[in-house]
Amino acid sequence: MSEIPLRRVRVAVEAPQHSGLTDPLDYLGPQDLTPGTLVHVTLGRRDVMGLVWDDLPEGQDLPEEEQLPESELRPVGEALDALPPLSDRWRRLVEFAAGYYQRSIGELALAVLPPQLRDLDAKQLQARLKKLDKADAEAAKAAAAATGEATSAPDRPALTAQQQAALDALAELAAREAPQPALLWGLTGSGKTEIYLRAAEAALERGQQVLVLVPEINLTPQLEARFAERFAGRSIVSLHSALTPAQRLRNWLAAHLGRAQLVLGTRLAVFASLPRLGLIVVDEEHDPSYKQQDGARYSARDLAVYRGHLEKVPVVLGSATPSLESWQHALAGRYRRVDLTERIGGGALPRVRLFDMNRLERKKGVTTALSVPLLDAMRKRLERGEQSLVFLNRRGYAPVLHCDQCNWKSDCPHCSAHQVFHKEDRTLRCHHCGVTTRVPRACPSCGNPDIAPLGRGTERLEEQLAQALPGARVARIDADTTRLKGSLESQLAAVHEGEVDILVGTQMVAKGHDFRRITLVAAVNPDGALFSSDFRAPERLFSLLMQAGGRAGRDAAQAAASEMWIQTWYPEHALYQSLQKHDYEAFAGSQLHERMTANLPPFAHLALVRAEGRSVEAARDFLTAAQEAAQALPLSLGLLLYPPVPMAIARVADSERFQMLIEAGNRAQLQRFLRAWLPALHALKRRQKGLTRWAVDVDPLAI
């Protein structure tokens, strides 16, 4: 048998971070090796997984002096050719994301594949595929039996005139050769999920696959249940970080092999390999959770839009409070806006009541979290057998313990932040580095036994409500009460079944949930975001309060009596005035005007360079040197390079943190500058002692 001739093959590998290796590396492999095939290769002394990448286009080859001669190239190892190659369109998506977010192709390509896949050899992969075939055959047999027993079609609610018009608009877009993205702007309770279901139904009937993205894991099972009910007998899989490695690999393979017809997932699922993709839905598109905060800091929403453009498939971005970037794209005609301005069943939105906290008697050291009128309103709900939701975006019992004798506070020894008091287990916990200590019996500074909690979190609020409304069944849902597997689902089920009178929670309960019995929502302390140094804070607050308010009155019969209470020291603030009228358009208009005046996104483009070091000097000096290197580049002309400053929480886990902001009027100019600047940053890292890590964040959400 004649040997297959060998050739130079480009392979994307996960090179060590900050090695400066951004492009695929050259290896020697068989001529018939298809781009997109997973292979084992040697990198340094390690055997690693790699992905065969495309050859450089004609005329773009490296100069001969930069190329290793073929005799010195290492051979490609075993190929996992039992798996169909990752498609050309998938590789283009990864290539774009790596270039735009300034990461290496190999790092991103391998990071978005299931971790277990990277550890398999060809024989182990064959075994997994056999196992999957067997499971699929059994599932198909069970589905056929179920179809034989139940012939009734799934219950599909009648569409309102607005919903029908929205579906017609989406169908018209889907029929185009290159559909533009659609921004589905719909009030909470206006039936956006039904639009997703019908649009998915149409795509499935065309024999295509559907990708649905949700911002948070706790919303995935809920949406999965809705889709499973509607598409009984169809293959539906989910992709998110709460799955076990084996589950994640199984679901990814089902999608990649084209067997899964519907894929539901969080931001990582935007990279799912789907050979017959026909529709992408991004639910709650404004949510900051779509932005990755470490590694390759990509925005799944923006990549979903780019993927739709690459694959020429419709993208539906749904939200009651769209991000200002998406809203501006719709105003400029880049996105098609589709409106749902009425709630299902003709239900009204909750009446928003602003309670002025200045009316309360001020006492030294005391801030009343729950006003008497609010407690009275809850009492009336209790008497009528209705539920209330009290929203406070701060977990724990109190943000800090304090000694009034010497002014000691429960500061974290490793961060420039306070340790939060958790009364339930008598601990002080840092929500940044995770360090936990026991509550001291007396002040560690002066010995005063009378140390007291300052401020309040959800734990303290739950306790106060139980005391103020004896007999009320109070439950709390936050990151502390939902740690155990299945605990969130059981708590939500208790709320749905009417076993809870008052639900206390953080933003976990403010979005996506369809609570039919809640008629009162109260936000007890939302003012902090009004004066944040982050220009996006008002947008996030408005969105969160609109989402929280949307949990009330979802049952049309009770909608007219539903209310949202906001306890605020600033009732005249423009944000609250727009919220009171449920006027997102007015709020977005005023915010966009402010952003345009201040030259902020979406009218400018930002990148942040963050640096962490063992000392303040190490982090600051790295960025100062980086700024000097930037100013020496001709491409920096026309850019604003701000001086390095400490981050809002300057120290986390004994690491000092600084950041430097770059502002550009033009996205392409910023990209060209970053590409030219990055080699200098890699060189500086190698010279800078004491610097632990640095990262570039393009289009940062938190500043």
Side-chain angles (χ1 to χ4, degrees), residues 435-458:
V435 72
T436 302
T437 54
R438 300 296 301 164
V439 172
R441 293 179 183 277
C443 171
S445 177
C446 70
N448 172 25
D450 192 18
I451 48 176
L454 268 189
R456 63 190 32 77
T458 46

Side-chain angles (χ1 to χ4, degrees), residues 349-363:
L349 283 165
R351 178 184 166 210
V352 177
R353 297 184 58 157
L354 302 173
F355 181 79
D356 186 356
M357 296 294 279
N358 295 292
R359 287 160 50 187
L360 298 176
E361 182 190 350
R362 296 202 185 194
K363 297 176 185 172

Side-chain angles (χ1 to χ4, degrees), residues 542 573-584 586-587 590:
F542 189 89
H573 196 284
L575 185 147
Y576 293 138
Q577 293 299 311
S578 293
L579 191 73
Q580 198 166 29
K581 301 185 190 88
H582 300 286
D583 195 346
Y584 171 79
F587 171 74
S590 69

Side-chain angles (χ1 to χ4, degrees), residues 84-98:
L86 287 146
S87 72
D88 174 63
R89 293 187 305 275
W90 186 88
R91 299 194 305 280
R92 295 294 74 75
L93 174 71
V94 168
E95 205 163 55
F96 168 80

